[in-house]
Amino acid sequence: MDTQQLALVFPGQGSQKVGMLAELGESFSIIKDTFAEASEALAYDMWDLIQNGEQEQLNLTETTQPVLLTASVAVWRLWCEQGGLRPSLLAGHSLGEFSALVCAGALNFADAVRLVRARGQYMQTAVPVGEGAMAAVLGLEDAQIVEICAQASSTGVVEAVNFNSPGQVVIAGQVAAVDQAIELLKAAGAKRAMPLPVSAPFHTSLMRPAGDKLALALADISVQQPNIPVVHNVHGKTESDPAVIKALLVEQIYSAVKWVDCVETMLAAGITHTIECGPGKVLSGLNKRINKSLNCSNIDSPESLSAALESIA
């Protein structure tokens, strides 16, 4: 298989679960070694947390973000160690964009682990718990959803924040405005419009204070030109300038995740296979819905690693 046909993708929040990567960790030392590296950066035993901790603790944003980044980097390192084909593009969904940049050599791993923990803290404190909400909307056109959010915004902030696949969009904002939007969306014929179990309205304009803090944190961190291009959520394009990459990471916190655009960019570049590095297969499902011809694999167990390696042989 030609390297130009392969992209590796990295999941965002929601893919974490207690016991994730357990079998890979027992089979391949590089998994636990990567978690040990991250544990040293954060001064707590991250592997013990994901294997023996409580799901509630794992779901705290400031915990979830470094845990998922570490899981993705560990799987990427395993892929490389096992002789996996070098991809021509990388991309990640929200938090996963940081994982992609680490794997592309643009961000130092320990720096990134500390940075995303801080990002989680900033995002959580930008809007007090209980004041923000998110909801998934199925079965309406993007433009309809954007228009209905504009109507409901007389009640408060509500915006379309994740364009995940055709017919699947996530909205977020202040609780009353999200509730109002849900009613209007159902009246407009949405198949489903259901609240999501998250603690803050991610990727809305309400996250601007978090963006300001992230910009300050990024000022002290070195970003290099990626050695594999990364497709960015904000505009669905690749960037090589480290200063632009920093600006995009800040903007991403309060801007919509344009995942459909990211996948369309990969397809236009000739990508035929995507491999999801990390727990679960959320992105594999989205990618398949965006384009049925895509060959989508994921790696979170020894069996799925073998299958992914075979899929590009």
Side-chain angles (χ1 to χ4, degrees), residues 20-110:
M20 66 189 197
L21 305 191
E23 290 177 71
L24 280 180
E26 293 308 314
S27 303
F28 303 100
S29 60
I30 200 163
I31 299 291
K32 287 186 181 177
D33 290 348
T34 302
F35 272 89
E37 227 179 291
S39 299
E40 197 172 320
L42 296 187
Y44 68 86
D45 188 336
M46 203 183 274
W47 184 257
D48 182 63
L49 171 68
I50 65 166
Q51 298 308 322
N52 306 307
E54 299 293 327
Q55 187 69 38
E56 281 178 15
Q57 190 180 4
L58 208 52
N59 288 348
L60 291 172
T61 300
E62 66 184 78
T63 307
T64 308
Q65 297 203 23
V67 157
L68 281 176
L69 179 131
T70 302
S72 284
V73 172
V75 172
W76 159 259
R77 289 177 173 179
L78 176 62
W79 173 257
C80 296
E81 182 186 75
Q82 295 296 306
L85 188 68
R86 179 186 171 91
S88 62
L89 287 173
L90 303 175
H93 190 288
S94 187
L95 161 75
E97 191 166 293
F98 288 80
S99 308
L101 287 165
V102 171
C103 298
L107 268 175
N108 170 273
F109 177 46

Coordinates of all heavy atoms in Angstrom, one line a residue, residues 20-110:
M20 N -9.2 0.6 29.8 CA -8.8 0.8 28.4 C -7.3 0.4 28.2 O -6.5 0.6 29.1 CB -9.1 2.2 27.9 CG -8.3 3.3 28.6 SD -8.9 4.9 28.1 CE -7.6 6.0 28.5
L21 N -7.0 -0.2 27.0 CA -5.7 -0.6 26.6 C -5.1 -1.7 27.5 O -3.9 -1.9 27.4 CB -4.7 0.6 26.5 CG -5.2 1.7 25.6 CD1 -4.0 2.7 25.4 CD2 -5.7 1.3 24.2
A22 N -5.9 -2.3 28.4 CA -5.3 -3.3 29.3 C -4.5 -4.4 28.7 O -3.4 -4.7 29.0 CB -6.4 -3.9 30.2
E23 N -5.1 -5.0 27.6 CA -4.5 -6.1 26.9 C -3.2 -5.7 26.2 O -2.2 -6.4 26.2 CB -5.5 -6.8 26.0 CG -6.6 -7.6 26.6 CD -7.5 -8.1 25.5 OE1 -7.1 -9.0 24.8 OE2 -8.6 -7.6 25.4
L24 N -3.3 -4.5 25.6 CA -2.1 -4.0 24.9 C -1.0 -3.7 25.9 O 0.2 -4.0 25.6 CB -2.4 -2.7 24.1 CG -3.1 -2.8 22.8 CD1 -3.4 -1.4 22.2 CD2 -2.3 -3.6 21.8
G25 N -1.4 -3.2 27.1 CA -0.4 -2.9 28.1 C 0.3 -4.2 28.6 O 1.5 -4.2 28.9
E26 N -0.4 -5.3 28.7 CA 0.2 -6.6 29.1 C 1.0 -7.2 28.0 O 2.0 -7.9 28.3 CB -0.9 -7.6 29.5 CG -1.7 -7.2 30.7 CD -0.9 -6.9 31.9 OE1 0.1 -7.6 32.2 OE2 -1.1 -5.8 32.6
S27 N 0.7 -6.9 26.8 CA 1.4 -7.5 25.6 C 2.6 -6.8 25.1 O 3.6 -7.3 24.6 CB 0.4 -7.7 24.5 OG -0.7 -8.5 24.9
F28 N 2.6 -5.4 25.3 CA 3.6 -4.6 24.7 C 4.1 -3.6 25.7 O 3.3 -2.7 26.2 CB 3.1 -3.9 23.5 CG 2.6 -4.8 22.4 CD1 1.2 -5.0 22.3 CD2 3.5 -5.5 21.5 CE1 0.7 -5.9 21.3 CE2 3.0 -6.3 20.6 CZ 1.6 -6.5 20.4
S29 N 5.4 -3.6 26.1 CA 5.9 -2.8 27.2 C 5.9 -1.3 26.8 O 5.8 -0.4 27.7 CB 7.4 -3.2 27.5 OG 8.2 -3.0 26.3
I30 N 5.9 -1.0 25.5 CA 5.9 0.4 25.1 C 4.6 1.2 25.6 O 4.7 2.4 25.8 CB 6.1 0.6 23.6 CG1 6.6 2.0 23.2 CG2 4.8 0.2 22.8 CD1 7.2 2.1 21.8
I31 N 3.5 0.4 25.7 CA 2.3 1.1 26.2 C 2.5 1.6 27.7 O 2.3 2.8 27.9 CB 1.1 0.1 26.1 CG1 0.9 -0.4 24.7 CG2 -0.2 0.7 26.8 CD1 0.3 0.7 23.7
K32 N 2.9 0.7 28.6 CA 3.1 1.1 29.9 C 4.2 2.1 30.1 O 4.2 3.0 30.9 CB 3.3 -0.1 30.8 CG 2.0 -1.0 31.1 CD 2.3 -2.1 32.1 CE 1.1 -2.9 32.3 NZ 1.4 -4.1 33.2
D33 N 5.3 1.9 29.3 CA 6.4 2.9 29.3 C 5.9 4.3 29.0 O 6.4 5.3 29.6 CB 7.5 2.4 28.3 CG 8.2 1.2 28.8 OD1 8.0 0.8 29.9 OD2 9.0 0.6 27.9
T34 N 5.0 4.4 28.0 CA 4.5 5.7 27.6 C 3.7 6.3 28.7 O 3.8 7.5 29.1 CB 3.7 5.6 26.3 OG1 4.5 5.0 25.3 CG2 3.2 7.0 25.9
F35 N 2.9 5.5 29.4 CA 2.1 6.0 30.5 C 3.0 6.3 31.7 O 2.7 7.3 32.4 CB 1.1 4.9 31.0 CG -0.2 5.0 30.2 CD1 -0.4 4.4 29.0 CD2 -1.2 5.9 30.7 CE1 -1.6 4.5 28.3 CE2 -2.4 6.0 30.0 CZ -2.6 5.3 28.8
A36 N 4.1 5.6 31.9 CA 5.1 6.0 33.0 C 5.7 7.3 32.7 O 5.9 8.1 33.6 CB 6.2 4.9 33.0
E37 N 6.0 7.6 31.4 CA 6.5 8.9 31.1 C 5.5 10.1 31.4 O 5.9 11.1 32.0 CB 6.7 8.9 29.5 CG 8.1 9.5 29.1 CD 8.2 9.4 27.6 OE1 8.3 8.3 27.0 OE2 8.2 10.5 27.0
A38 N 4.3 9.8 31.1 CA 3.2 10.8 31.3 C 3.0 11.0 32.8 O 2.8 12.1 33.3 CB 1.9 10.4 30.6
S39 N 3.0 9.8 33.5 CA 2.8 9.9 35.0 C 3.9 10.7 35.7 O 3.6 11.4 36.6 CB 2.9 8.4 35.6 OG 1.8 7.6 35.0
E40 N 5.1 10.6 35.2 CA 6.2 11.4 35.7 C 6.0 12.9 35.5 O 6.2 13.7 36.4 CB 7.5 11.0 35.0 CG 8.8 11.5 35.8 CD 10.0 10.9 35.2 OE1 10.0 9.7 34.8 OE2 11.0 11.7 35.1
A41 N 5.4 13.2 34.3 CA 5.1 14.6 34.0 C 4.0 15.2 34.9 O 4.0 16.4 35.2 CB 4.7 14.8 32.5
L42 N 3.1 14.4 35.3 CA 1.9 14.9 36.1 C 2.0 14.5 37.6 O 1.2 14.9 38.4 CB 0.6 14.3 35.5 CG 0.3 14.8 34.1 CD1 -1.1 14.3 33.7 CD2 0.4 16.3 34.0
A43 N 3.0 13.6 37.9 CA 3.2 13.3 39.3 C 2.1 12.4 39.9 O 1.7 12.6 41.1 CB 3.5 14.5 40.2
Y44 N 1.5 11.6 39.1 CA 0.6 10.5 39.6 C 0.6 9.4 38.7 O 0.9 9.5 37.5 CB -0.8 11.1 39.9 CG -1.7 11.4 38.7 CD1 -2.4 10.4 38.0 CD2 -1.8 12.7 38.3 CE1 -3.2 10.8 36.9 CE2 -2.6 13.1 37.2 CZ -3.3 12.1 36.5 OH -4.1 12.4 35.4
D45 N 0.2 8.2 39.2 CA 0.2 7.0 38.4 C -1.0 6.9 37.5 O -2.0 6.4 37.9 CB 0.3 5.7 39.4 CG 0.6 4.4 38.6 OD1 0.3 4.4 37.4 OD2 1.0 3.5 39.3
M46 N -0.7 7.3 36.3 CA -1.8 7.3 35.3 C -2.3 5.9 34.9 O -3.5 5.7 34.7 CB -1.4 8.1 34.1 CG -2.5 8.7 33.3 SD -1.9 9.6 31.8 CE -1.5 11.1 32.5
W47 N -1.4 5.0 34.7 CA -1.8 3.6 34.3 C -2.7 3.0 35.4 O -3.8 2.4 35.1 CB -0.6 2.7 34.1 CG -1.0 1.4 33.6 CD1 -1.0 0.2 34.3 CD2 -1.4 1.0 32.3 NE1 -1.4 -0.8 33.5 CE2 -1.7 -0.4 32.3 CE3 -1.6 1.7 31.1 CZ2 -2.1 -1.1 31.2 CZ3 -2.1 1.1 30.0 CH2 -2.3 -0.3 30.0
D48 N -2.3 3.2 36.7 CA -3.2 2.7 37.8 C -4.6 3.3 37.7 O -5.6 2.6 38.0 CB -2.5 3.0 39.1 CG -3.3 2.4 40.3 OD1 -3.5 1.1 40.3 OD2 -3.8 3.2 41.1
L49 N -4.6 4.6 37.5 CA -5.9 5.3 37.4 C -6.8 4.7 36.3 O -8.0 4.4 36.6 CB -5.7 6.8 37.1 CG -6.9 7.6 36.8 CD1 -7.8 7.7 38.1 CD2 -6.6 9.0 36.3
I50 N -6.3 4.5 35.1 CA -7.1 4.0 34.0 C -7.5 2.5 34.2 O -8.5 2.1 33.7 CB -6.6 4.3 32.6 CG1 -5.3 3.5 32.4 CG2 -6.4 5.8 32.4 CD1 -4.9 3.5 30.9
Q51 N -6.7 1.8 34.9 CA -7.0 0.4 35.1 C -7.9 0.1 36.4 O -8.7 -0.8 36.4 CB -5.7 -0.5 35.2 CG -4.9 -0.4 33.9 CD -5.7 -0.7 32.7 OE1 -6.5 -1.6 32.7 NE2 -5.4 0.0 31.6
N52 N -7.6 0.9 37.4 CA -8.2 0.6 38.7 C -9.0 1.8 39.3 O -9.6 1.6 40.4 CB -7.2 0.2 39.7 CG -6.3 -0.9 39.2 OD1 -6.8 -2.0 38.8 ND2 -5.0 -0.7 39.2
G53 N -9.1 2.9 38.6 CA -9.8 4.1 39.2 C -11.3 4.0 38.9 O -11.8 3.0 38.5
E54 N -11.9 5.1 39.3 CA -13.4 5.2 39.1 C -13.7 5.9 37.8 O -12.9 6.9 37.4 CB -14.0 6.0 40.3 CG -13.8 5.4 41.6 CD -14.6 4.1 41.8 OE1 -15.7 4.0 41.2 OE2 -14.1 3.2 42.5
Q55 N -14.7 5.5 37.1 CA -15.1 6.2 35.8 C -15.4 7.7 36.0 O -15.0 8.5 35.2 CB -16.3 5.5 35.2 CG -16.7 6.0 33.8 CD -15.7 5.6 32.7 OE1 -15.1 4.5 32.8 NE2 -15.4 6.5 31.8
E56 N -16.0 8.0 37.2 CA -16.3 9.4 37.4 C -15.0 10.3 37.4 O -15.0 11.4 36.9 CB -16.9 9.6 38.8 CG -18.4 9.2 38.8 CD -19.1 9.3 40.1 OE1 -18.5 9.9 41.0 OE2 -20.2 8.8 40.3
Q57 N -13.9 9.7 38.0 CA -12.7 10.5 38.1 C -12.1 10.6 36.7 O -11.5 11.6 36.3 CB -11.7 9.8 39.0 CG -10.4 10.6 39.3 CD -9.5 9.9 40.2 OE1 -9.7 8.7 40.6 NE2 -8.4 10.5 40.5
L58 N -12.2 9.5 35.9 CA -11.7 9.5 34.5 C -12.4 10.4 33.6 O -11.9 11.0 32.7 CB -11.8 8.0 34.0 CG -10.9 7.5 32.9 CD1 -9.4 7.7 33.4 CD2 -11.1 6.1 32.6
N59 N -13.7 10.7 34.0 CA -14.5 11.6 33.2 C -14.3 13.1 33.5 O -14.8 14.0 32.8 CB -16.0 11.3 33.4 CG -16.4 10.0 32.7 OD1 -15.6 9.4 31.9 ND2 -17.6 9.5 33.0
L60 N -13.5 13.4 34.6 CA -13.2 14.8 34.8 C -12.3 15.3 33.7 O -11.3 14.7 33.4 CB -12.5 14.9 36.2 CG -13.3 14.6 37.4 CD1 -12.4 14.6 38.7 CD2 -14.4 15.7 37.6
T61 N -12.7 16.4 33.2 CA -12.0 16.9 31.9 C -10.5 17.0 32.1 O -9.7 16.7 31.2 CB -12.6 18.3 31.5 OG1 -14.0 18.1 31.3 CG2 -12.0 18.8 30.3
E62 N -10.0 17.5 33.3 CA -8.6 17.7 33.5 C -7.9 16.3 33.6 O -6.6 16.3 33.4 CB -8.3 18.5 34.7 CG -8.7 17.9 36.0 CD -8.5 18.9 37.2 OE1 -9.3 19.8 37.3 OE2 -7.5 18.7 37.9
T63 N -8.6 15.3 33.9 CA -8.0 13.9 33.9 C -8.2 13.3 32.5 O -7.2 12.7 32.0 CB -8.8 13.0 34.9 OG1 -8.8 13.6 36.2 CG2 -8.1 11.7 35.0
T64 N -9.3 13.4 31.9 CA -9.6 12.8 30.6 C -8.6 13.2 29.5 O -8.1 12.4 28.8 CB -11.0 13.2 30.1 OG1 -12.0 13.0 31.1 CG2 -11.4 12.5 28.8
Q65 N -8.3 14.5 29.5 CA -7.5 15.0 28.4 C -6.1 14.4 28.4 O -5.6 13.8 27.4 CB -7.5 16.5 28.4 CG -8.9 17.1 28.1 CD -8.9 18.5 27.6 OE1 -8.0 19.0 27.0 NE2 -10.0 19.2 27.8
P66 N -5.3 14.4 29.5 CA -4.0 13.8 29.5 C -4.0 12.3 29.3 O -3.2 11.7 28.7 CB -3.4 14.2 30.8 CG -4.5 14.7 31.7 CD -5.5 15.2 30.8
V67 N -5.1 11.7 29.9 CA -5.2 10.2 29.8 C -5.4 9.8 28.3 O -4.7 8.9 27.8 CB -6.4 9.7 30.6 CG1 -6.9 8.4 30.1 CG2 -6.0 9.6 32.1
L68 N -6.3 10.5 27.6 CA -6.5 10.1 26.2 C -5.3 10.5 25.3 O -5.0 9.7 24.4 CB -7.8 10.8 25.7 CG -9.1 10.1 26.1 CD1 -10.3 10.9 25.6 CD2 -9.2 8.7 25.6
L69 N -4.7 11.6 25.6 CA -3.5 11.9 24.8 C -2.4 10.9 25.0 O -1.8 10.4 24.0 CB -3.0 13.3 25.2 CG -1.7 13.8 24.5 CD1 -1.8 15.2 23.9 CD2 -0.5 13.7 25.4
T70 N -2.2 10.5 26.2 CA -1.2 9.4 26.5 C -1.6 8.1 25.8 O -0.7 7.4 25.2 CB -1.1 9.2 28.0 OG1 -0.7 10.5 28.6 CG2 0.0 8.2 28.3
A71 N -2.8 7.7 25.9 CA -3.3 6.5 25.2 C -3.0 6.5 23.7 O -2.5 5.5 23.1 CB -4.8 6.2 25.5
S72 N -3.3 7.7 23.1 CA -3.1 7.8 21.7 C -1.6 7.7 21.3 O -1.2 7.1 20.3 CB -3.7 9.1 21.2 OG -5.1 9.0 21.1
V73 N -0.8 8.5 22.1 CA 0.6 8.5 21.8 C 1.2 7.1 22.0 O 2.1 6.6 21.2 CB 1.3 9.5 22.6 CG1 2.9 9.4 22.5 CG2 0.9 10.9 22.2
A74 N 0.7 6.4 23.0 CA 1.2 5.0 23.3 C 0.9 4.1 22.1 O 1.8 3.3 21.6 CB 0.6 4.5 24.5
V75 N -0.3 4.2 21.6 CA -0.7 3.3 20.4 C 0.1 3.7 19.2 O 0.5 2.9 18.4 CB -2.2 3.4 20.2 CG1 -2.6 2.7 18.9 CG2 -3.0 2.8 21.3
W76 N 0.3 5.0 19.0 CA 1.1 5.5 17.8 C 2.5 4.9 17.9 O 3.1 4.4 16.9 CB 1.2 7.0 17.8 CG 2.3 7.6 17.1 CD1 3.5 8.1 17.6 CD2 2.5 7.8 15.7 NE1 4.3 8.6 16.6 CE2 3.7 8.4 15.4 CE3 1.7 7.5 14.6 CZ2 4.2 8.7 14.1 CZ3 2.1 7.8 13.3 CH2 3.4 8.4 13.1
R77 N 3.1 5.0 19.1 CA 4.5 4.4 19.3 C 4.5 2.9 19.0 O 5.5 2.4 18.4 CB 5.0 4.7 20.7 CG 5.3 6.2 20.9 CD 5.7 6.4 22.4 NE 6.2 7.8 22.6 CZ 6.6 8.3 23.8 NH1 6.6 7.4 24.9 NH2 7.0 9.5 23.9
L78 N 3.5 2.2 19.5 CA 3.4 0.8 19.2 C 3.2 0.5 17.7 O 3.9 -0.4 17.2 CB 2.1 0.2 19.9 CG 1.8 -1.2 19.7 CD1 3.0 -2.1 20.2 CD2 0.5 -1.6 20.4
W79 N 2.4 1.3 17.0 CA 2.3 1.2 15.6 C 3.6 1.3 14.9 O 4.0 0.5 14.0 CB 1.3 2.3 15.1 CG 1.2 2.4 13.6 CD1 1.7 3.3 12.8 CD2 0.4 1.5 12.7 NE1 1.3 3.1 11.5 CE2 0.5 2.0 11.4 CE3 -0.4 0.4 13.0 CZ2 -0.1 1.4 10.3 CZ3 -1.0 -0.3 11.9 CH2 -0.8 0.2 10.6
C80 N 4.4 2.3 15.3 CA 5.7 2.5 14.7 C 6.7 1.4 15.0 O 7.4 0.9 14.1 CB 6.3 3.8 15.2 SG 5.4 5.3 14.7
E81 N 6.6 0.9 16.3 CA 7.5 -0.2 16.7 C 7.2 -1.5 16.0 O 8.1 -2.3 15.7 CB 7.3 -0.4 18.2 CG 8.1 -1.5 18.8 CD 7.8 -1.7 20.3 OE1 6.7 -2.4 20.6 OE2 8.5 -1.3 21.2
Q82 N 5.9 -1.7 15.6 CA 5.5 -2.9 14.9 C 5.7 -2.8 13.4 O 5.2 -3.7 12.7 CB 4.0 -3.2 15.3 CG 3.8 -3.5 16.7 CD 4.5 -4.8 17.1 OE1 4.4 -5.9 16.5 NE2 5.3 -4.7 18.2
G83 N 6.3 -1.7 13.0 CA 6.6 -1.6 11.5 C 5.4 -1.1 10.7 O 5.3 -1.3 9.5
G84 N 4.4 -0.5 11.4 CA 3.3 0.1 10.7 C 3.7 1.1 9.7 O 4.7 1.9 9.9
L85 N 3.0 1.2 8.6 CA 3.3 2.2 7.6 C 3.2 3.6 8.1 O 2.3 4.0 8.8 CB 2.2 2.0 6.4 CG 2.5 2.7 5.1 CD1 3.7 2.2 4.4 CD2 1.2 2.6 4.2
R86 N 4.1 4.4 7.7 CA 4.1 5.9 8.0 C 3.0 6.5 7.3 O 2.9 6.5 6.0 CB 5.5 6.5 7.7 CG 5.6 8.0 8.0 CD 6.9 8.5 7.4 NE 7.0 10.0 7.5 CZ 7.5 10.7 8.5 NH1 7.9 10.0 9.6 NH2 7.5 12.0 8.5
P87 N 2.1 7.2 8.0 CA 1.0 7.9 7.3 C 1.4 9.1 6.6 O 2.4 9.7 6.9 CB 0.0 8.2 8.4 CG 0.9 8.3 9.6 CD 2.0 7.4 9.4
S88 N 0.6 9.6 5.6 CA 0.9 10.9 5.0 C 0.2 12.0 5.6 O 0.5 13.2 5.4 CB 0.5 10.8 3.5 OG -0.8 10.6 3.3
L89 N -0.9 11.7 6.4 CA -1.6 12.8 7.1 C -2.0 12.3 8.5 O -2.2 11.1 8.7 CB -2.9 13.2 6.4 CG -2.7 14.0 5.1 CD1 -4.1 14.1 4.5 CD2 -2.2 15.4 5.4
L90 N -2.1 13.2 9.5 CA -2.6 12.9 10.8 C -3.8 13.9 11.1 O -3.8 15.0 10.6 CB -1.5 13.1 11.9 CG -0.3 12.3 11.8 CD1 0.7 12.7 12.8 CD2 -0.6 10.8 11.9
A91 N -4.7 13.5 11.9 CA -5.8 14.4 12.4 C -6.3 13.9 13.7 O -6.3 12.7 14.0 CB -6.9 14.5 11.4
G92 N -6.8 14.8 14.5 CA -7.5 14.4 15.8 C -8.7 15.2 16.0 O -8.8 16.4 15.5
H93 N -9.7 14.7 16.7 CA -10.9 15.4 17.0 C -10.8 16.1 18.4 O -10.6 15.5 19.4 CB -12.1 14.3 17.1 CG -13.4 14.9 17.2 ND1 -13.9 15.6 18.3 CD2 -14.4 15.0 16.2 CE1 -15.1 16.0 18.0 NE2 -15.5 15.6 16.8
S94 N -10.8 17.4 18.3 CA -10.7 18.3 19.5 C -9.4 18.0 20.2 O -8.3 18.2 19.7 CB -11.9 18.1 20.4 OG -11.9 19.0 21.4
L95 N -9.5 17.4 21.4 CA -8.3 17.0 22.2 C -7.3 16.2 21.3 O -6.1 16.3 21.4 CB -8.6 16.2 23.4 CG -7.5 15.4 24.0 CD1 -6.6 16.3 24.8 CD2 -8.0 14.3 24.8
G96 N -7.9 15.4 20.4 CA -7.0 14.5 19.6 C -6.1 15.2 18.7 O -5.1 14.7 18.2
E97 N -6.4 16.5 18.4 CA -5.5 17.3 17.6 C -4.1 17.5 18.3 O -3.1 17.5 17.7 CB -6.1 18.7 17.3 CG -5.3 19.5 16.3 CD -6.2 20.6 15.7 OE1 -7.2 20.4 15.1 OE2 -5.8 21.8 16.0
F98 N -4.1 17.6 19.6 CA -2.9 17.6 20.4 C -2.1 16.3 20.3 O -0.9 16.3 20.1 CB -3.2 18.0 21.9 CG -3.6 19.4 22.1 CD1 -4.9 19.8 21.9 CD2 -2.7 20.3 22.6 CE1 -5.4 21.1 22.1 CE2 -3.2 21.7 22.8 CZ -4.5 22.0 22.6
S99 N -2.8 15.2 20.4 CA -2.2 13.9 20.2 C -1.5 13.8 18.8 O -0.4 13.3 18.7 CB -3.3 12.8 20.3 OG -4.0 12.9 21.5
A100 N -2.3 14.3 17.8 CA -1.7 14.3 16.4 C -0.4 15.1 16.3 O 0.5 14.7 15.7 CB -2.8 14.8 15.4
L101 N -0.4 16.2 17.0 CA 0.8 17.1 16.9 C 2.0 16.5 17.7 O 3.1 16.7 17.2 CB 0.4 18.5 17.5 CG -0.5 19.3 16.5 CD1 -1.1 20.5 17.3 CD2 0.3 19.8 15.3
V102 N 1.7 15.8 18.7 CA 2.8 15.1 19.4 C 3.4 14.0 18.5 O 4.6 13.9 18.3 CB 2.3 14.4 20.7 CG1 3.4 13.5 21.3 CG2 1.9 15.5 21.7
C103 N 2.5 13.2 17.8 CA 2.9 12.1 17.0 C 3.6 12.7 15.7 O 4.4 12.0 15.1 CB 1.8 11.2 16.6 SG 1.0 10.5 18.1
A104 N 3.3 13.9 15.3 CA 3.9 14.6 14.2 C 5.3 15.2 14.5 O 5.9 15.8 13.7 CB 3.0 15.6 13.6
G105 N 5.6 15.1 15.8 CA 6.9 15.8 16.2 C 6.8 17.3 16.4 O 7.8 17.9 16.6
A106 N 5.6 17.8 16.4 CA 5.5 19.3 16.6 C 5.4 19.7 18.1 O 5.9 20.8 18.4 CB 4.2 19.7 15.9
L107 N 4.9 18.8 18.9 CA 4.9 19.1 20.4 C 5.6 18.0 21.1 O 5.5 16.8 20.8 CB 3.4 19.0 20.8 CG 2.6 20.3 20.8 CD1 1.1 19.9 21.2 CD2 3.1 21.3 21.8
N108 N 6.4 18.4 22.1 CA 7.0 17.5 23.0 C 6.0 16.8 23.9 O 5.0 17.4 24.3 CB 8.0 18.3 23.9 CG 8.6 17.5 25.1 OD1 8.0 17.4 26.1 ND2 9.7 16.9 24.9
F109 N 6.1 15.5 24.1 CA 5.1 14.7 24.8 C 4.8 15.2 26.2 O 3.7 15.4 26.6 CB 5.5 13.2 24.8 CG 4.6 12.3 25.5 CD1 3.2 12.4 25.3 CD2 5.0 11.3 26.3 CE1 2.3 11.5 26.0 CE2 4.2 10.5 27.0 CZ 2.8 10.6 26.8
A110 N 5.9 15.3 27.0 CA 5.7 15.8 28.4 C 5.0 17.2 28.4 O 4.1 17.4 29.3 CB 7.0 15.8 29.1

